[in-house]
Amino acid sequence: MDSEMSAPNLTSIPFLPTLRESARKQPVSHQSPGWKILTFLCCLATAAAAEQSGDFIYTDNGATVTITGYAVSAPNDVVVPATIVTSLDPLVEKPVTAIGASAFEGRTELTSMTISSGVTSIGNRAFFNCGGLTSASIPSGIMSIGRNAFSYCVALEGISLPTGLTSIGIEVFLHCDLLASVTIPAGVTSIGTGAFSYCSKLKSLVIPSGVISIGSGAFSNCSGLTSVTLPSTITTMGSFAFQYCSGLTSVTIPTVTSLQNKVFANCRGLETVDIPASVTTVHVAAFAECSSLTSFTVAAANPNYSTLNGLLTNKTQTSLITCPAGLGGNFTIPAGFTTIGNQAFRYCSELASVTIPSSVTNIESQAFSTCEKLVLAVFEGNAPTMVPNAFELAAPGFTINFLNSSTGFTTPTWYDYPAIGTGEGANPVIAWLLSHNLPANADLQSDDNGDGINLLLAYALDLDPNVSNPLPQPVLSTNQMSLSFYSGTPGITYIVKASDDMLDWSAEGVVLSEPDANQIRTATVPISGNQRFLRLEVNN
């Protein structure tokens, strides 16, 4: 017997001295302590076993009852009763005060749930993944709703939270994909981490006065949210709280002291941001990738921040903290800044070129990192102190231009970035594009004005790309055809070819003159047969 039923590992049983003491007091002889302990544990398990009343599984708490499950396939509509007659007290109806953890988890056949008055708490994951649940009636008196209680109820369309609720817990309504409306009652003071995350159909939201904190990611990925009212009582908004709320066009920031990491990141419809006087810390990525945001405004009484030309700056406007992500194209930083801060332009995905004034003496880490369209940085003064990763992952061909008179720069690279002094072969195409108010990374094959001349040809022929231009026209004489064109653009190769059928082209027989004083060259070719064609090719 001892070999078949050895005593359990006593170190793994909690409160072991108490169990041993109980065993010694038992009036049973000739049994090992191991047998007595096993008997005790078995009795304990039986006492904790759930009971069933009708189709509901419950736990009798003595004076109250907790619903812990449903015995059979649930009907479409379930009503949690106010009372249950238990097997321990068959003559007494005991009030149902709680719905236990995972009580209805995964019951996809459930379409509606009515909870009777008297229930005060809903446990963790109580209705988790009830994919068919479209409505839930939660009575007044519910004081707590557990973590993930309604997560992945993907058909739930609306819900009114009851008076008496003081907090909305972690991920309570995570991925309720069809949830279009929610009423948050007065009395709620906190909204937990991820509480409404991925509720993509939620359109408007009024958070009542009295809410003090909004947890991390509480409303992240609510892409349909177009309106949110944030009361002045809020003092804390966690990281990512409204990230990917792409439908928001404006937001009034409450009297928080900190705008944390990515709190409004990827709100691609957000156009304006007013930062109140209470904010003393703004994370550099608080508004990351808000691609419609073109300017910040800051309350005059704010002790730490200011704005200049829409840029977020320190109070004295010497440090450029953040450039709104919606600014792009060719951007000139205003004079007066001495520092371009950490990641200041990191999320400016449309930035094509930047001109940095001579006042800048310091460029911090990743200041222009991942500006994938940035092809040119022009420095107007001496080389500043710079962290090597300042321009990492810029556009292919990214180049630094500086004045020959400047000090501290090196060629052909500076901090491993291609660097060219003005007058020493600086990229003439970029200079030409910028001089005509075109992006430095414009597609040279594009023809935006529709005149039949793409940007590369306009550059080569020294034409204004912003107006319609005539193409060079051939001139016929008795026995030859000629074509005159501008040929003085640096870095361009000009080739003229002839053809009799517009299929086979050759430069053979074409005579090309030397440039005249105005850089005009003329190509001539003899006329033979009934037709003759000339073609001008330019290569950069």
Side-chain angles (χ1 to χ4, degrees):
M1 179 181 295
D2 290 342
S3 63
E4 294 179 358
M5 183 63 73
S6 61
N9 181 0
L10 300 182
T11 60
S12 68
I13 301 176
F15 308 110
L16 181 61
T18 302
L19 295 179
R20 281 183 164 175
E21 183 65 21
S22 299
R24 285 198 296 269
K25 292 180 180 179
Q26 297 293 329
V28 180
S29 59
H30 310 297
Q31 291 185 352
S32 71
W35 275 98
K36 291 182 175 68
I37 292 171
L38 287 174
T39 302
F40 175 85
L41 291 177
C42 194
C43 293
L44 181 63
T46 301
E51 299 286 343
Q52 183 172 336
S53 175
D55 292 331
F56 289 99
I57 299 172
Y58 68 90
T59 297
D60 191 331
N61 305 316
T64 63
V65 170
T66 297
I67 299 294
T68 58
Y70 207 73
V72 297
S73 179
N76 291 342
D77 304 316
V78 168
V79 177
V80 175
T83 61
I84 279 181
V85 176
T86 70
S87 60
L88 294 179
D89 296 299
L91 299 180
V92 178
E93 291 187 354
K94 294 186 178 181
V96 176
T97 59
I99 298 175
S102 301
F104 294 90
E105 180 175 344
R107 305 306 288 262
T108 57
E109 70 276 19
L110 182 63
T111 59
S112 73
M113 169 63 67
T114 301
I115 301 172
S116 297
S117 179
V119 174
T120 60
S121 67
I122 298 174
N124 296 343
R125 300 171 67 99
F127 298 96
F128 182 89
N129 198 29
C130 289
L133 186 66
T134 60
S135 66
S137 176
I138 303 177
S140 176
I142 294 281
M143 293 183 289
S144 67
I145 301 176
R147 181 170 185 163
N148 296 108
F150 291 91
S151 290
Y152 291 91
C153 290
V154 295
L156 188 63
E157 297 178 355
I159 195 161
S160 293
L161 298 176
T163 302
L165 191 66
T166 58
S167 65
I168 300 173
I170 296 173
E171 297 180 352
V172 172
F173 297 99
L174 170 70
H175 258 300
C176 290
D177 296 354
L178 295 184
L179 187 65
S181 65
V182 61
T183 301
I184 300 175
V188 170
T189 59
S190 65
I191 299 173
T193 297
F196 294 91
S197 183
Y198 289 95
C199 292
S200 57
K201 296 297 183 183
L202 192 62
K203 290 181 171 53
S204 64
L205 180 69
V206 176
I207 299 177
S209 179
V211 172
I212 297 172
S213 66
I214 296 176
S216 298
F219 298 94
S220 65
N221 292 276
C222 291
S223 55
L225 190 63
T226 59
S227 173
V228 59
T229 299
L230 301 174
S232 60
T233 54
I234 293 175
T235 58
T236 302
M237 290 193 297
S239 301
F240 316 102
F242 291 91
Q243 186 178 23
Y244 288 105
C245 290
S246 53
L248 283 178
T249 58
S250 64
V251 63
T252 300
I253 296 173
T255 53
V256 295
T257 58
S258 175
L259 293 175
Q260 298 188 32
N261 183 29
K262 296 192 174 183
V263 60
F264 289 101
N266 305 93
C267 292
R268 299 188 183 277
L270 194 61
E271 298 172 351
T272 60
V273 169
D274 297 326
I275 298 175
S278 62
V279 172
T280 56
T281 303
V282 179
H283 192 281
V284 68
F287 300 93
E289 299 185 66
C290 292
S291 54
S292 297
L293 183 62
T294 56
S295 66
F296 294 103
T297 59
V298 176
N302 189 292
N304 291 356
Y305 296 102
S306 181
T307 56
L308 178 64
N309 292 4
L311 304 170
L312 183 65
T313 77
N314 64 345
K315 190 66 176 177
T316 58
Q317 298 185 342
T318 57
S319 178
L320 196 166
I321 296 170
T322 301
C323 176
L327 287 182
N330 310 310
F331 185 73
T332 298
I333 297 173
F337 289 112
T338 59
T339 297
I340 300 174
N342 174 47
Q343 300 183 37
F345 288 82
R346 181 177 180 181
Y347 301 100
C348 296
S349 60
E350 297 298 317
L351 187 66
S353 71
V354 60
T355 299
I356 300 171
S358 59
S359 58
V360 171
T361 58
N362 181 38
I363 300 178
E364 296 183 346
S365 177
Q366 296 184 317
F368 298 90
S369 175
T370 68
C371 292
E372 58 188 23
K373 295 184 179 180
L374 182 64
V375 295
L376 179 68
V378 178
F379 286 82
E380 295 184 328
N382 296 330
T385 300
M386 188 173 82
V387 178
N389 65 6
F391 291 96
E392 67 179 0
L393 302 177
F398 169 76
T399 303
I400 288 172
N401 283 184
F402 58 89
L403 299 175
N404 290 336
S405 58
S406 298
T407 61
F409 292 99
T410 58
T411 59
T413 62
W414 182 60
Y415 286 101
D416 292 329
Y417 301 109
I420 303 172
T422 301
E424 298 176 359
N427 191 323
V429 177
I430 293 176
W432 178 79
L433 289 168
L434 295 177
S435 71
H436 288 93
N437 296 314
L438 294 171
N441 62 340
D443 180 3
L444 295 182
Q445 300 302 317
S446 64
D447 176 20
D448 292 342
N449 63 13
D451 62 358
I453 302 176
N454 64 23
L455 288 177
L456 178 58
L457 188 56
Y459 169 66
L461 299 178
D462 194 28
L463 302 175
D464 185 347
N466 297 309
V467 300
S468 293
N469 297 281
L471 284 167
Q473 296 297 313
V475 176
L476 295 175
S477 62
T478 302
N479 58 0
Q480 72 176 17
M481 178 188 298
S482 62
L483 180 69
S484 297
F485 55 91
Y486 178 82
S487 64
T489 301
I492 292 292
T493 300
Y494 300 86
I495 301 173
V496 181
K497 295 181 179 180
S499 174
D500 292 327
D501 55 10
M502 296 188 70
L503 296 176
D504 297 319
W505 294 89
S506 173
E508 185 177 353
V510 178
V511 177
L512 190 60
S513 71
E514 292 298 318
D516 65 14
N518 296 315
Q519 299 297 318
I520 302 298
R521 303 181 76 177
T522 300
T524 58
V525 62
I527 296 177
S528 61
N530 295 325
Q531 57 185 11
R532 193 72 159 157
F533 305 94
L534 285 175
R535 182 172 75 183
L536 173 63
E537 296 178 359
V538 299
N539 296 290
N540 182 22

